[in-house]
């Protein structure tokens, strides 16, 4: 489908769009229409999300209408052609052509009929859901009234099941793997149907995806667009027995195990009662895995546009699994919302059954796409994981060795050998070097140094996954304490008492140290404790090890292994992917069109490499840059080079801790709080430096002085406390009494407040960035990445990457303030290095238009004073 289909699309915006919004929508529409890739830069606060929704959904509507119109047109033309065919001398060829045309006509008619039938079924589904809602409402209150009772009965039933587990360990012993893979998600795979065009919209977090749900509801397409939000079981599972596992891999395994269970020992009845049935298997089936209920929830998803929170609430009302309902709804959905993590990993894509072929992918907040790709394909393994797996693997073999097949016993011994070698390379390297300096090795060098180059790891990994060894090892560690195994082995092999006793005493220190050695507690610990999950669980550790070994098997020339030398507590291994483009190019090839969008997309070359791979051809990539909706008069940006006492502001890592610089920061903050009304957000390079600054200013009395004008808040490290701090901050900004005028929020670059949060209007009248948040230049990982870029991209590419890491973080902080056309704010960059030409060019374009560089304290605060005096007069 080319641009000739609709040269002048009409966009139904909720209000009259700005010119840059019109430009954004037109460019996005035609990029998709022409099967191109696109890099779209539109500053934060310019209505980017709404523009994406309006233009993409308009294209989808036009595309679907054109598909039907083209089919009807071609069918009519073929009918006329067949009826008007006249016989000629070559009657055999004429008859053949006629048959061929009739076959084509039948095929096209069938395709059209399927589309129309599907649309009719969806309309019927809407009517059916409307009727069901009335019935459900009357039952909802009864369900929640009995929810605690249901939970209690489920727990009681679970305890009954667990009693059977204690007597026999059949659920923990490895079974022979069947040829067929019955670890699949037990889902009915739908037959291939006519292609149903989808638009996948991806963002960094699930909260940002919820914002897209809100934007779609603002468009004219809200009543006839089918939207589904995809997420993992960890986010969607509503079964408390499963969610207690915490680890996503263990949750997945537990869910699949419950599906395969033939028992119905804990099922929720229509009246909210738990039905108890005979237990025939160790694992109870999930009460929410009910196909009828899942179908009802699927239809609700396709009818009502819901975010994740609403969807989970609806799932609890219907007693249906939201995870499987979303996957069932995906085939009929037109828009699928998914986090970046669900896109960048091939395993995550297959796990959620994403069908990207010939569909459209729009990735918002794509400034961190390269980092997301690298994180998705790195495989960290700590020495704690290796040590835990090694310990419990040996205990597992000792206990169940006689019950294992020779093949499974060989697998476990081979795995134990590999784990021991991986642990050895960490501790051996530490002994050699005598320090914890990390080193980088190629994959070939690593497997040779680890002495595992002679092993074929692929069958070993497959057997471990198919036999479901990780959850079994996890269950083993949860069911048996070292004290229990110690007693058992003493009875079985008294001659080995001394060596085994010391071995088990060593590992017991890593387990629950508060256990008493009385009989009652040992008996209590003999029941499975699946509700708790330690970070050093052997199950969790084995998943990490298998992922690491899988990366080694790929033998990518762009792969490296970071060996962090240390002991069994501090050491670790990590697989590094130096070129994430090699994995993302698979996504680009599948999709009809891939759009990456963000507030600041510099350097563009990074995204061109992701979209084109190693190819230098960029003709099929549309680069679009939009200005900010805010006028230059509403923003003032200052690069401040000298402080109030004429001290040069250079917050390099070596200098930033000096008392002289910290005193300058205090003087600057006091003056800002005196001049700037409303809220001031100050970003510092790290949590540790924020603490140093706060402690110094508190001791010097600066914090108390600032509190006379503005209430001081600090960004919490705990994500759970962020909303509470933000709420108090917003209240303090709005509250004006006496000399009190707003609030000061000390934040961290790259922290929880630097991305995805809006400090519009009075919440953010001034954004301060102290220093330049460069990553650690001595990091072995960073040095290897820079060296790789210099070799493959060109000289200087590594330094450009290093600079871009810093400036991306700075630009995210700057983007928190100005959020709409009538908003106004000041930006204060405290470091003389911001005045370098290459650094100023990396700042957002809307900031560059009003940028003052190399400012002294007097010049800077004179300009800020005039700026707010002018806007105070305008407000009057």
């Amino acid at each position: 489908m080319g641009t000739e289909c609709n040269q002048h699309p009409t966009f139904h915006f909720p209000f009259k769009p700005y010119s840059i919004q019109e430009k954004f929508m037109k460019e996005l529409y035609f990029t998709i229409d022409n099967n191109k890739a696109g890099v779209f830069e539109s500053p934060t606060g310019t209505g980017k999300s709404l523009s994406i929704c309006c233009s993409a959904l308009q294209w989808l509507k036009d595309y679907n209408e054109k598909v039907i119109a083209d089919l009807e047109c071609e069918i009519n033309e073929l009918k006329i052609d067949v009826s008007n065919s006249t016989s000629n001398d070559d009657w055999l060829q004429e008859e053949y052509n006629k048959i061929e045309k009739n076959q084509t006509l039948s095929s096209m008619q069938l395709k059209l009929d399927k589309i129309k039938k599907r649309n009719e079924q969806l309309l019927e589904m809407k009517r059916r859901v409307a009727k069901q809602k009335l019935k459900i409402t009357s039952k909802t209150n009864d369900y929640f009234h009995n929810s605690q009772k249901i939970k209690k009965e489920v727990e009681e039933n679970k305890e009954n099941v667990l009693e059977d587990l204690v007597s026999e360990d059949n659920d923990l012993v490895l079974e022979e793997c069947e040829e067929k893979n019955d670890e699949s998600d037990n889902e009915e795979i739908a037959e291939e149907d006519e292609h149903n065009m989808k638009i996948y919209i991806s963002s960094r977090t699930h909260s940002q995806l919820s914002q897209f749900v809100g934007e779609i509801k603002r468009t004219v397409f809200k009543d006839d667009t089918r939207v589904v939000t995809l997420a993992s079981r960890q986010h969607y599972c509503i079964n408390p027995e499963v969610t207690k596992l915490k680890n996503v891999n263990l949750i997945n395994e537990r869910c699949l195990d419950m599906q395969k269970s033939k028992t119905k020992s804990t099922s929720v009845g229509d009246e909210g009662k738990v039905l108890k049935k005979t237990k025939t298997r160790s694992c109870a089936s999930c009460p929410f895995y009910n196909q009828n209920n899942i179908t009802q929830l699927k239809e609700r998803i396709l009818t009502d546009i819901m975010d994740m929170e609403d969807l989970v609430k609806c799932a609890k009302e219907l007693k249906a699994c939201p995870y499987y309902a979303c996957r069932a709804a995906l085939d009929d959905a037109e828009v699928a919302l998914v986090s970046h993590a669900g896109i960048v990993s091939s395993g995550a894509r297959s796990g959620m059954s994403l069908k990207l072929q010939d569909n459209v992918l729009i990735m918002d907040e794509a400034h961190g796409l390269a980092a997301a790709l690298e994180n998705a394909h790195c495989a960290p393994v700590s020495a704690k994981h290796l040590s835990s797996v090694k310990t419990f693997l040996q205990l597992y073999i000792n206990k169940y060795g006689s019950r294992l097949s020779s093949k499974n016993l060989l697998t476990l011994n081979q795995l134990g050998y590999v784990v021991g070698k991986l642990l050895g390379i960490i501790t051996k390297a530490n002994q050699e070097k005598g320090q914890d300096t990390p080193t980088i090795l190629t994959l070939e060098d690593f497997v040779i140094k680890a002495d595992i180059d002679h092993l074929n790891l692929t069958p070993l990994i497959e057997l471990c996954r198919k036999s479901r060894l990780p959850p079994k090892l996890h269950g083993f560690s949860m069911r048996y304490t070292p004290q229990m195994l110690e007693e058992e082995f003493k009875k079985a092999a008294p001659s080995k008492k001394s060596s085994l006793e010391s071995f088990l005493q060593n590992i017991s220190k890593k387990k629950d140290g508060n256990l008493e050695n009385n009989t009652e507690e040992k008996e209590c610990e003999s029941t499975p404790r699946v509700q708790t999950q330690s970070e050093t669980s052997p199950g969790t550790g084995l998943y990490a090890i298998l992922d690491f070994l899988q990366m080694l098997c790929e033998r990518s020339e762009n792969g490296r292994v970071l060996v962090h030398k240390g002991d069994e507590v501090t050491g670790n291994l990590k697989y590094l992917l130096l070129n994430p483009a090699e994995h993302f190019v698979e996504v680009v090839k599948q999709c009809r069109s891939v759009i990456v969008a963000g507030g600041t997309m510099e350097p563009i070359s990074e995204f061109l490499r992701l979209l084109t791979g190693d190819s230098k051809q960029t003709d099929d990539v549309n680069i679009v840059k939009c200005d900010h909706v805010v006028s230059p008069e509403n923003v003032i940006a200052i690069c401040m080079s000298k402080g109030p006492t004429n001290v040069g502001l250079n917050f390099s890592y070596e200098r930033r801790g000096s008392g002289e610089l910290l005193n300058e920061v205090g003087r600057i903050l006091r003056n800002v709080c005196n001049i700037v009304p409303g809220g001031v957000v100050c970003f510092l390079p790290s949590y540790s430096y924020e603490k140093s600054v706060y402690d110094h200013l508190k001791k010097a009395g600066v914090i108390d002085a600032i509190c006379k004008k503005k209430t001081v808040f600090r960004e919490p490290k705990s994500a759970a406390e962020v909303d509470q701090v933000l709420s108090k901050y917003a209240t303090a900004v709005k509250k004006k009494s006496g000399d009190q005028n707003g609030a000061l929020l000390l934040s961290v670059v790259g922290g929880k407040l630097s991305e995805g949060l809006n400090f519009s209007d009075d919440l953010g009248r001034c954004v301060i960035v102290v220093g330049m948040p460069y990553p650690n230049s001595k990091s072995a990982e960073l040095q290897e990445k820079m060296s790789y870029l210099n070799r493959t991209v060109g000289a200087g590419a590594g330094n450009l990457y290093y600079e871009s890491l810093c400036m991306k973080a700075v630009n995210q902080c700057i983007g928190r303030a100005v959020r709409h056309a009538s908003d106004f704010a000041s930006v204060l960059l405290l470091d003389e290095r911001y005045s370098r030409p290459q650094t100023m060019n990396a700042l957002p374009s809307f900031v560059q238009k009003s940028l003052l560089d190399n400012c002294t304290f007097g010049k800077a605060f004179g300009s800020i004073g005039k700026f707010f005096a002018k806007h105070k007069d305008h407000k009057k």
Side-chain angles (χ1 to χ4, degrees):
M1 191 167 92
T3 56
E4 66 275 4
C5 70
N6 194 344
Q7 289 290 344
H8 302 286
T10 301
F11 300 108
H12 302 279
F13 218 59
F15 49 85
K16 183 174 174 57
Y18 298 110
S19 58
I20 64 163
Q21 291 170 331
E22 288 184 338
K23 174 187 176 182
F24 186 99
M25 290 189 289
K26 287 179 181 177
E27 291 288 354
L28 190 140
Y29 185 103
F30 290 121
T31 301
I32 298 173
D33 208 32
N34 288 304
N35 296 49
K36 287 190 172 187
V39 180
F40 281 66
E41 180 179 270
S42 183
T44 305
T46 55
K48 172 164 48 69
S49 300
L50 185 58
S51 299
I52 288 174
C53 293
C54 289
S55 53
L57 293 177
Q58 184 63 55
W59 176 85
L60 183 63
K61 180 183 177 184
D62 293 344
Y63 173 86
N64 288 334
E65 289 178 352
K66 186 177 185 299
V67 167
I68 295 175
D70 287 350
L71 278 173
E72 289 176 340
C73 182
E74 291 179 30
I75 287 171
N76 290 333
E77 288 177 357
L78 272 173
K79 285 181 178 179
I80 294 171
D81 193 20
V82 170
S83 61
N84 291 341
S85 60
T86 56
S87 59
N88 53 36
D89 293 339
D90 192 352
W91 63 269
L92 186 62
Q93 181 64 40
E94 179 64 26
E95 194 64 25
Y96 174 79
N97 291 340
K98 188 174 181 180
I99 292 171
E100 191 177 49
K101 288 177 183 178
N102 279 323
Q103 287 177 339
T104 304
L105 182 61
S106 298
S107 175
M108 295 179 72
Q109 187 64 55
L110 179 63
K111 186 176 180 180
L112 181 62
D113 291 343
K114 281 185 177 180
I115 293 173
K116 290 183 174 180
K117 183 180 179 181
R118 186 173 195 164
N119 291 338
E120 290 172 2
Q121 289 174 339
L122 290 169
L123 286 173
E124 177 59 31
M125 181 188 69
K126 272 191 167 186
R127 289 190 287 267
R128 186 167 60 249
V129 169
K131 293 179 181 177
Q132 289 172 349
K133 283 182 183 179
L134 297 175
K135 297 179 182 178
I136 292 169
T137 304
S138 62
K139 293 184 179 181
T140 301
N141 292 333
D142 292 337
Y143 174 79
F144 284 106
H145 178 72
N146 294 324
S147 60
Q148 291 301 319
K149 183 178 178 182
I150 293 170
K151 185 176 180 180
K152 183 178 179 181
E153 292 184 13
V154 169
E155 292 296 324
E156 289 174 355
N157 237 16
K158 184 176 71 173
E159 289 176 6
N160 292 334
V161 175
L162 298 181
E163 289 174 5
D164 290 347
L165 296 183
V166 181
S167 58
E168 295 185 20
D169 289 341
N170 294 331
D171 60 316
L172 297 182
V173 180
L174 293 185
E175 299 174 357
E176 281 298 315
C177 297
E178 298 179 11
E179 289 300 319
K180 64 178 183 178
N181 181 14
D182 62 18
E183 288 186 61
S184 65
D185 284 6
N186 269 351
E187 296 178 354
E188 294 181 6
I189 300 174
E191 294 181 7
E192 285 298 320
D193 205 344
E194 296 299 330
H195 179 62
N196 178 31
M197 178 62 69
K198 289 181 181 58
I199 295 177
Y200 289 92
I201 298 179
S202 173
S203 195
R204 194 174 59 87
T205 65
H206 289 293
S207 62
Q208 288 166 338
L209 292 178
S210 295
Q211 293 176 16
F212 270 100
V213 171
E215 299 293 14
I216 293 173
K217 288 180 178 180
R218 296 175 64 190
T219 69
V220 297
F221 309 103
K222 61 184 178 182
D223 294 325
D224 57 358
T225 301
R226 302 182 297 279
V227 181
V228 60
T229 302
L230 301 172
S232 67
R233 289 180 178 89
Q234 192 173 26
H235 291 95
Y236 270 153
C237 182
I238 58 175
N239 188 334
E241 183 183 343
V242 179
T243 55
K244 286 178 180 178
L245 293 171
K246 305 299 182 186
N247 179 268
V248 64
N249 291 304
L250 293 172
I251 288 174
N252 289 340
E253 293 284 1
R254 182 67 167 167
C255 176
L256 295 175
D257 198 35
M258 295 181 92
Q259 287 177 48
K260 290 186 287 186
S261 173
K262 297 176 182 179
T263 179
K264 295 291 180 183
S265 60
T266 57
S267 59
V268 181
D270 292 336
E271 302 301 323
K273 296 180 180 178
V274 174
L275 307 178
K276 299 184 180 181
K277 296 188 179 180
T278 305
K279 299 178 290 295
T280 59
R281 188 177 171 127
S282 63
C283 181
S285 64
C286 181
F288 303 101
Y289 190 68
N290 180 298
Q291 288 301 330
N292 291 332
N293 294 355
I294 287 174
T295 300
Q296 286 187 43
L297 181 56
K298 164 196 166 183
E299 294 183 347
R300 285 285 296 274
I301 291 169
L302 294 172
T303 305
D304 301 335
I305 299 177
M306 296 183 285
D307 60 20
M308 287 181 64
E309 187 176 341
D310 293 333
L311 201 157
V312 169
K313 182 180 177 181
C314 183
K316 290 178 178 178
E317 293 175 5
L318 295 174
K319 302 185 284 283
C321 175
Y323 174 78
Y324 281 104
C326 286
R327 293 185 61 171
L330 180 59
D331 189 51
D332 288 321
E334 295 174 300
V335 176
L337 303 174
V338 59
S339 68
H340 288 341
I343 294 291
V344 296
S345 167
S346 59
R349 292 196 300 273
S350 61
M352 287 192 283
S353 300
L354 298 191
K355 300 174 183 176
L356 297 179
Q357 191 67 42
D358 298 326
N359 287 320
V360 177
L361 173 62
I362 301 174
M363 304 192 75
D364 191 25
E365 300 292 335
H367 59 272
L369 178 56
L373 282 162
E374 290 173 359
N375 290 336
H377 295 91
C378 79
V381 179
S382 69
K384 289 181 181 179
H385 283 149
L386 292 165
S387 179
S388 176
V389 170
K390 181 182 177 183
T391 296
F392 279 95
L393 195 59
Q394 187 59 53
L395 293 173
Y396 185 90
I397 293 172
N398 290 343
K399 183 168 179 60
Y400 301 124
S402 61
R403 297 170 63 180
L404 298 173
S405 68
S406 57
K407 183 178 181 181
N408 284 337
L409 187 58
L410 176 63
T411 298
L412 293 180
N413 283 317
Q414 284 182 334
L415 180 62
Y417 172 82
V418 172
V419 170
K421 289 296 183 181
L422 294 181
L423 185 59
I425 198 173
I426 297 173
T427 54
K428 182 180 178 182
N430 184 51
Q431 293 168 358
E432 289 174 355
K433 296 289 183 178
Q435 54 185 357
D436 61 354
T437 305
T439 56
I440 301 283
L441 299 172
T442 62
L443 302 190
E444 291 77 9
D445 290 343
F446 176 79
V447 294
I448 291 171
K449 193 167 184 177
D451 194 22
I452 56 174
D453 55 310
H454 60 287
L455 294 176
N456 185 358
L457 297 176
T458 303
L460 177 64
I461 296 167
E462 290 177 354
L463 274 170
C464 288
R465 294 195 190 279
K466 287 181 180 179
S467 64
R468 305 183 66 204
L469 178 59
K472 290 180 184 294
L473 196 62
H474 170 77
F476 175 74
S477 69
M478 293 293 100
R479 186 171 302 175
Y480 295 104
T481 65
Q483 291 90 338
M484 292 171 55
L485 293 170
E486 180 181 2
E487 287 189 0
E488 185 174 328
F489 294 157
K490 277 180 182 178
K491 294 176 182 177
S495 60
K496 298 181 179 180
K497 176 180 177 181
S498 58
S499 60
L500 188 58
E501 186 174 340
S502 60
F503 171 69
L504 288 169
Q505 283 176 351
N506 181 44
I507 64 169
S508 67
K509 295 176 184 178
K510 301 176 185 178
K511 294 289 287 180
D512 300 324
N514 59 344
L515 293 177
E516 298 291 334
N517 287 326
N518 60 64
T519 307
E520 291 182 1
E521 293 209 60
K522 288 179 182 178
E523 290 177 355
C524 178
E525 287 293 329
S526 67
T527 58
R529 294 179 290 130
V530 295
Q531 69 272 18
T532 59
Q533 173 61 29
S534 169
E535 290 182 0
T536 56
S537 158
T540 303
L542 186 51
Y543 280 119
I545 292 168
L546 293 177
D547 288 342
F548 179 81
L549 295 178
Q550 186 72 56
M551 293 298 180
L552 292 183
C553 292
E554 291 186 5
R555 291 290 195 272
S556 171
E557 63 179 11
N558 297 319
R560 299 289 186 274
V561 177
L562 182 147
V563 182
H564 196 134
K565 309 165 185 65
D567 54 27
E568 293 190 7
V569 176
T570 61
N572 61 73
L573 300 171
K574 185 179 180 182
Y575 177 87
L576 308 176
L577 179 65
L578 299 178
N579 181 22
E582 71 180 37
H583 287 279
F584 193 66
V585 72
E586 301 171 7
V587 174
V588 177
K589 286 179 179 178
Q590 288 183 57
C591 294
R592 171 197 176 98
S593 177
V594 176
I595 310 289
V596 290
T600 305
M601 300 297 284
E602 293 291 346
I604 295 292
S605 57
E606 176 183 295
F607 296 97
L608 292 177
R609 286 196 297 272
L610 289 175
L611 293 171
T612 61
D614 295 329
S615 172
K616 303 297 182 183
Q617 297 295 327
T618 59
D619 295 341
D620 289 333
V621 181
N622 188 17
I623 300 173
V624 180
K625 292 190 175 184
C626 298
D627 292 327
H628 206 296
V629 292
V630 69
S631 65
E633 292 77 20
N634 282 15
V635 178
I636 182 170
I638 298 172
C639 300
M640 197 164 154
S641 300
K642 293 187 181 296
T645 61
N646 214 32
V647 172
L649 300 179
N650 187 317
F651 291 86
S652 61
Y653 185 78
E654 295 78 13
R655 296 185 55 189
R656 67 187 187 188
S658 71
E660 190 179 39
L661 270 180
L662 294 176
N663 289 333
E664 291 291 79
V665 172
R667 296 183 186 105
I668 292 169
L669 288 177
R670 285 187 65 176
N671 281 276
V672 168
C673 291
N674 285 332
I675 296 174
V676 177
V680 176
V681 185
C682 177
F683 288 98
L684 297 130
S686 66
Y687 283 102
S688 60
Y689 189 62
E690 185 273 338
K691 184 179 186 303
S692 298
V693 171
Y694 182 85
D695 291 345
H696 181 89
L697 299 185
K698 182 72 175 175
K699 186 176 180 180
V702 176
I703 296 296
D704 292 336
I706 291 174
C707 285
K708 294 177 182 178
K709 277 286 184 180
K710 296 185 185 294
T711 309
V712 179
F713 296 91
R714 302 171 65 189
E715 177 176 331
K717 284 188 177 182
S718 171
E721 299 174 22
V722 170
D723 289 341
Q724 185 180 4
V725 171
L726 285 176
S727 178
K728 290 180 178 179
Y729 171 75
T731 302
V733 169
K734 295 174 184 177
K735 183 180 178 182
K736 297 178 182 179
S737 60
D739 292 335
Q740 281 279 337
N741 181 21
L744 168 65
L745 179 58
L746 299 177
S747 307
V748 177
V749 177
K752 302 165 188 67
L753 305 181
S754 64
E755 291 193 44
L757 292 175
N758 302 335
F759 293 99
S760 59
D761 299 320
D762 279 347
L763 292 178
R765 289 303 182 198
C766 181
V767 169
I768 305 172
V769 183
V770 178
M772 299 189 71
Y774 285 108
N776 181 11
S777 60
K778 296 181 180 179
S779 161
E781 186 175 340
L782 179 59
Q783 288 179 353
E784 184 69 19
K785 177 73 174 183
M786 292 172 64
S787 175
Y788 169 81
L789 291 172
N790 287 333
R791 290 195 311 271
T792 57
V793 179
N799 286 331
L800 179 62
Y801 172 76
Y802 183 64
E803 289 286 335
S804 70
L805 289 176
C806 171
M807 294 311 297
K808 280 181 181 180
V810 171
N811 292 339
Q812 284 301 307
C813 297
I814 293 173
R816 298 309 97 211
V818 188
R819 308 299 299 183
H820 53 84
S822 58
D823 201 358
F824 63 92
S826 57
V827 176
L828 192 56
L829 304 174
L830 303 185
D831 201 303
E832 60 189 15
R833 292 172 293 177
Y834 279 113
S835 296
R836 297 175 303 187
Q838 70 269 26
T839 304
M840 291 191 293
N841 291 335
L843 291 168
S845 56
F846 76 94
V847 168
Q848 294 182 34
K849 292 178 181 179
S850 59
L851 185 64
L852 303 175
D853 63 319
N854 270 319
C855 283
T856 60
F857 173 80
K859 181 181 177 182
F861 277 80
S863 301
I864 292 174
K866 291 177 182 178
F867 176 81
F868 283 104
K870 180 183 71 174
H871 283 283
K872 184 177 181 181
D873 293 338
H874 287 175
K875 289 179 78 174
K876 290 180 179 179

